[in-house]
Amino acid sequence: MSGEPRPLYQRPLDFKRGRVELAHGAGGRATAQLVEELFLAAFDNPWLRTQNDAAAMPRPAGRLVMATDSHVVSPLFFPGGDIGSLSVHGTINDVAMAGGRPLYLAAGFILEEGFPLAELRRIVLSMAAAAKAAGVPIVTGDTKVVEQGKGDGVYITTTGVGVVPDGIVLDGSAAREGDAIFVSGSIGDHGVAIMSKRENLEFDTEILSDSAALHGLVETLLSACPRIRVLRDPTRGGLATTLNEIARQSGVGMMLEESAIPLKPAVAAACELLGLDPLYVANEGKLIAIVPAEDAALLHATLLAHPQGRDAALIGRVTRDPDHFVQMTTTLGGRRVVDWLTGDQLPRIC
Amino acid sequence: MKYVDEFRDRELGRGLAAAIAREAVPGRRYQFMEFCGGHTHAISRYGVADLLPANVRMIHGPGCPVCVLPIGRIDLAIGLALERNVILCSYGDTMRVPASNGRSLLRAKAEGGDIRMVYSAADALRIARENPAREVVFLAIGFETTTPPTALVIREAQATGVGNFSVLSNHVLTPAAIVNILQSPEVRTLGTVPLDGFVGPAHVSSIIGTRPYEFFAEEFRKPVVIAGFEPLDVMQAILMLVRQVNEGRAEVENQFHRVVDRAGNQKAQALVAEVFELRREFEWRGLGTVPYSALAIRATFAAHDAERRFELQYQPVPDNKACDCGAILRGLKRPTDCRLFGGACTPETPMGSCMVSSEGACAAHYSYGRFRDRPQAPLAAEMA
């Protein structure tokens, strides 16, 4: 025999009317067909093409970082993104916030029986486009199917591996008194975009999710300003919760200036209407950067010069505080604590 | 944001703060209760206390519907969900309220109860229409502002024959609670913590008008200023209260005239009167049993009254003995006077009513103001 091996199946997957079946996760021919006609076709790269259970890559120089993130967002499609692109951006950003240049992604899918193949394809193509745009291949993956009613369409877990250049050390415990706190752009966009499409609550807004891969911005910031102490993306729990995490890790307090925090008028209006505090609303394409005071001007200029940092702002300072309070001067001129998020105001946001 | 930012403006705030400081007589105490959780939230969220002189103090009142909902009422709702297999629809902020046996609606949901968060009474009625084979109960809570929408869905369910829909009414009345606070022995006795006036409700007053407050302004000689929910509304109301106290007046004044008038929304009042009637008494978490302070569904709508439909028997459940919510709600104690505050009782694990919702006195202090409890708060770092 010579040439291409004969395809195992006669009839290709019906991406118009077909649905996910339990057999697609059973490991047999149906699974192989789904992998070949959907995942391999969309993510195509040499590692996947080997069709081995694991991808083997050369060892890069520098420290390895690894991050994993599960995505259960509801609805699956939202203004400005979908669970596919979000699952690529989320993990790339986790790797990037450690100072890592993301190299490879792995993806695990949990599909619900009966889920339309057309929608699955849309999600996978969106993932592929996001991974391609970010320059990070999805090199290995897994697919399982659960019975109808036991899932909610699609859950995606992605894992990322990256490498941190020598000399770069980012750590949530590195913030020091006097440091400057920056946010790379307007807050709350992702959470409000999701809320606007929730059942029972649909409202019209021009707000799109800010879901985006930030590793390019991180690379630019680190090369201009290698003394950055902390980078973190304020996802679930929003800006407020992320700053509290850093304050606790570093054993410091923070003093913010409310009027300096960038907020789109439409996001402010939606939060006003829904009774939400935008400080606690999730972001998927913003970062917090904490730098020594003497580097503040340089970092600010670098942020503003990057398309993803156009609306960046200096929002506060790190203080000495034995209670690790994050405080804020309000728009009115009073003061308040900006506490950890209590409960969950927006479940399944990512 | 237009029509909102104007009411949070720093310069205007400074001007009002200066006027309050100028007019508040040194050595005299001005203790005002803001009844509503909405005001408590605005005061705490914007740090209004930082802009007031030391002798002008705000006391956070009981006007948070989630906070005053007693344990026994939540137990009834949980019972409906877990034992009677109903679809229980609730506003989101009620989900975490602690009930008996360490339960809450959220935990009951985790135990398998079909408990759904809704954003309006109309959503609950829609769920009933979509699930004709199931009993659907709306856990209705709130002051006079949220009562008309509940009345509306009850009337609509009756008119359109949605036979599987009923309401567990916990609607309560503002004036009765204020009278209860003013009549409590501790507050009436001279020499104990006096209340010098009230910041009156915003949205509640848009329904009931300013007239219902005239009685107790006169009877108890306490000034009342109806105020909007923005921080500058509250500050202006405080200034108006300071002036009334200085001039020895006890009148009902209306700072919120962009929304509220003397008669209120008569259409809404008529709707509520058609569907609801006064209860002889009702338990308030923190205040105890308050006569004529809540609304039950009239017999003409009995089919949509969950208490009748499921023959519910109310069992009062006492709060933790160490909890000082009752005294805090009357202005007799501050949150930090309670030995549970910040230790056993936090927003994550609330023991008493004042910690339950962010509009409660203790939760507001814990979440927004606890830096003030320190001997000396560090100075604000200057912005570059």
Side-chain angles (χ1 to χ4, degrees):
Chain A
M1 291 235 284
S2 64
E4 293 284 305
R6 198 160 57 93
L8 282 167
Y9 350 89
Q10 302 303 319
R11 200 178 302 156
L13 283 172
D14 180 358
F15 283 115
K16 267 194 184 146
R17 283 172 301 274
R19 289 178 180 273
V20 170
E21 295 163 21
L22 284 171
H24 286 132
R29 282 186 185 151
T31 306
Q33 182 182 20
L34 185 69
V35 168
E36 274 190 27
E37 293 183 22
L38 181 59
F39 297 115
L40 187 54
F43 300 151
D44 187 47
N45 59 60
W47 297 277
L48 266 189
R49 242 173 275 137
T50 64
Q51 299 209 41
N52 291 324
D53 284 348
M57 291 86 69
R59 188 170 57 188
R63 282 180 301 131
L64 279 183
V65 287
M66 189 170 164
T68 192
D69 208 344
S70 295
H71 297 85
V72 299
V73 65
S74 171
L76 297 169
F77 302 92
F78 48 83
D82 56 64
I83 190 171
S85 53
L86 184 68
S87 70
V88 169
H89 297 153
T91 294
I92 285 182
N93 290 347
D94 285 348
V95 169
M97 296 307 136
R101 185 164 56 84
L103 298 174
Y104 309 104
L105 288 173
F109 292 82
I110 295 177
L111 309 177
E112 184 184 4
E113 177 190 19
F115 187 69
L117 286 177
E119 287 188 28
L120 179 61
R121 185 155 178 269
R122 209 175 132 197
I123 289 166
V124 169
L125 290 177
S126 162
M127 255 181 114
K132 192 174 175 203
V136 187
I138 297 167
V139 296
T140 185
D142 179 55
T143 307
K144 298 275 158 53
V145 179
V146 295
E147 299 97 315
Q148 202 154 71
K150 299 283 172 71
D152 195 1
V154 183
Y155 302 138
I156 305 175
T157 298
T158 48
T159 301
V161 174
V163 60
V164 187
D166 288 334
I168 297 294
V169 181
L170 294 171
D171 197 311
S173 65
R176 295 291 174 267
E177 185 186 358
D179 286 356
I181 306 167
F182 288 88
V183 65
S184 65
S186 65
I187 61 163
D189 298 8
H190 178 71
V192 165
I194 298 279
M195 286 297 271
S196 74
K197 291 296 165 225
R198 281 279 165 89
E199 197 193 353
N200 304 347
L201 202 67
E202 290 185 31
F203 55 91
D204 284 326
T205 171
E206 75 261 34
I207 289 296
L208 303 179
S209 165
D210 58 355
S211 177
L214 294 171
H215 59 306
L217 174 63
V218 169
E219 203 170 334
T220 304
L221 295 180
L222 284 174
S223 57
C225 193
R227 289 193 297 181
I228 293 175
R229 300 206 212 256
V230 185
L231 287 178
R232 195 160 291 178
D233 52 341
T235 54
R236 276 175 302 173
L239 181 70
T241 305
T242 307
L243 290 176
N244 272 283
E245 286 166 13
I246 298 168
R248 185 171 68 173
Q249 273 183 279
S250 295
V252 296
M254 294 180 187
M255 180 59 76
L256 310 179
E257 173 62 47
E258 182 169 26
S259 56
I261 298 173
L263 184 61
K264 288 186 176 137
V267 172
C271 287
E272 202 62 47
L273 197 70
L274 298 168
L276 301 173
D277 188 337
L279 292 172
Y280 296 90
V281 178
N283 310 280
E284 289 292 343
K286 299 290 155 34
L287 60 78
I288 294 166
I290 298 181
V291 286
E294 56 269 30
D295 289 353
L298 173 63
L299 186 85
H300 202 172
T302 314
L303 274 165
L304 293 175
H306 193 281
Q308 288 179 316
R310 269 200 314 260
D311 302 322
L314 171 63
I315 59 167
R317 296 279 181 190
V318 176
T319 58
R320 186 199 317 229
D321 187 329
D323 299 310
H324 312 156
F325 284 154
V326 176
Q327 297 184 57
M328 182 166 84
T329 304
T330 68
T331 47
L332 187 70
R335 255 208 292 171
R336 62 172 274 203
V337 168
V338 176
D339 211 355
W340 294 76
L341 173 68
T342 299
D344 193 350
Q345 43 178 4
L346 306 171
R348 295 184 60 187
I349 201 79
C350 57
Chain B
M1 203 186 338
K2 211 162 158 49
Y3 308 124
V4 172
D5 292 342
E6 294 89 331
F7 294 96
R8 299 168 185 176
D9 182 78
R10 195 174 289 195
E11 284 311 309
L12 294 174
R14 262 188 209 141
L16 278 169
I20 293 168
R22 203 165 49 234
E23 299 197 23
V25 180
R28 188 167 188 170
R29 267 197 327 191
Y30 301 85
Q31 306 215 86
F32 303 129
M33 172 177 281
E34 86 278 5
F35 180 83
C36 275
H39 288 134
T40 303
H41 185 80
I43 289 168
S44 312
R45 162 76 180 74
Y46 292 95
V48 170
D50 294 321
L51 302 175
L52 300 177
N55 59 335
V56 177
R57 186 188 151 206
M58 299 307 293
I59 292 163
H60 309 317
C64 152
V66 179
C67 302
V68 298
L69 191 61
I71 293 175
R73 302 294 294 186
I74 315 245
D75 285 352
L76 289 181
I78 290 174
L80 283 172
L82 291 183
E83 286 148 35
R84 313 294 275 274
N85 197 31
V86 311
I87 298 176
L88 185 82
C89 301
S90 162
Y91 291 131
D93 40 6
T94 317
M95 299 290 280
R96 291 174 48 248
V97 179
S100 297
N101 306 318
R103 276 203 175 122
S104 62
L105 290 177
L106 212 55
R107 293 223 170 116
K109 181 168 154 48
E111 285 176 43
D114 192 344
I115 299 174
R116 304 188 189 180
M117 198 175 97
V118 292
Y119 294 94
S120 73
D123 283 344
L125 183 60
R126 180 182 51 77
I127 289 171
R129 287 197 170 115
E130 289 168 0
N131 296 274
R134 300 277 305 276
E135 286 284 334
V136 174
V137 178
F138 175 53
L139 176 61
I141 68 157
F143 289 93
E144 290 85 341
T145 328
T146 49
T147 314
T150 306
L152 209 59
V153 293
I154 291 173
R155 207 172 66 172
E156 197 185 326
Q158 179 114 315
T160 56
V162 186
N164 61 327
F165 177 75
S166 59
V167 170
L168 179 53
S169 169
N170 301 282
H171 285 298
V172 286
L173 302 172
T174 306
I178 299 184
V179 168
N180 178 270
I181 290 166
L182 287 169
Q183 276 179 334
S184 78
E186 307 95 316
V187 175
R188 280 216 106 171
T189 309
L190 282 172
T192 59
V193 179
L195 290 173
D196 301 313
F198 285 90
V199 174
H203 296 165
V204 162
S205 305
S206 73
I207 305 291
I208 68 174
T210 64
R211 198 183 299 146
Y213 309 100
E214 290 167 5
F215 158 73
F216 58 77
E218 197 175 305
E219 172 74 14
F220 297 96
R221 300 292 308 151
K222 299 291 179 197
V224 178
V225 177
I226 311 297
F229 278 147
E230 293 299 329
L232 290 185
D233 288 327
V234 180
M235 292 189 69
Q236 190 178 26
I238 293 169
L239 179 61
M240 291 164 79
L241 284 168
V242 167
R243 285 177 180 162
Q244 284 208 44
V245 170
N246 287 350
E247 294 161 16
R249 289 184 289 127
E251 296 164 11
V252 177
E253 291 183 310
N254 184 8
Q255 181 276 338
F256 199 33
H257 49 75
R258 65 183 186 274
V259 174
V260 173
D261 62 19
R262 184 161 179 266
N265 182 338
Q266 284 156 311
K267 212 169 161 183
Q269 291 168 18
L271 173 67
V272 169
E274 181 192 338
V275 176
F276 288 102
E277 62 190 11
L278 264 182
R279 289 181 197 264
R280 292 180 69 85
E281 59 178 37
F282 194 75
E283 189 193 342
W284 292 53
R285 200 166 190 178
L287 291 182
T289 301
V290 181
Y292 300 108
S293 63
L295 298 173
I297 297 166
R298 285 187 187 276
T300 38
F301 295 93
H304 303 286
D305 179 357
E307 285 175 73
R308 289 193 175 92
R309 192 178 180 95
F310 298 97
E311 296 174 343
L312 300 179
Q313 294 297 321
Y314 181 66
Q315 285 290 334
V317 180
D319 263 316
N320 187 305
K321 278 202 190 82
C323 170
D324 276 334
C325 279
I328 292 166
L329 289 179
R330 292 184 170 88
L332 300 168
K333 287 190 176 179
R334 297 180 192 227
T336 44
D337 295 332
C338 176
R339 57 199 163 94
L340 300 179
F341 179 83
C345 186
T346 65
E348 273 73 29
T349 55
M351 308 280 287
S353 67
C354 307
M355 194 62 97
V356 164
S357 139
S358 68
E359 295 187 347
C362 293
H365 183 69
Y366 187 89
S367 301
Y368 295 114
R370 67 187 190 280
F371 68 90
R372 294 196 185 89
D373 300 337
R374 302 193 290 202
Q376 201 178 6
L379 291 171
E382 278 182 28
M383 301 294 297

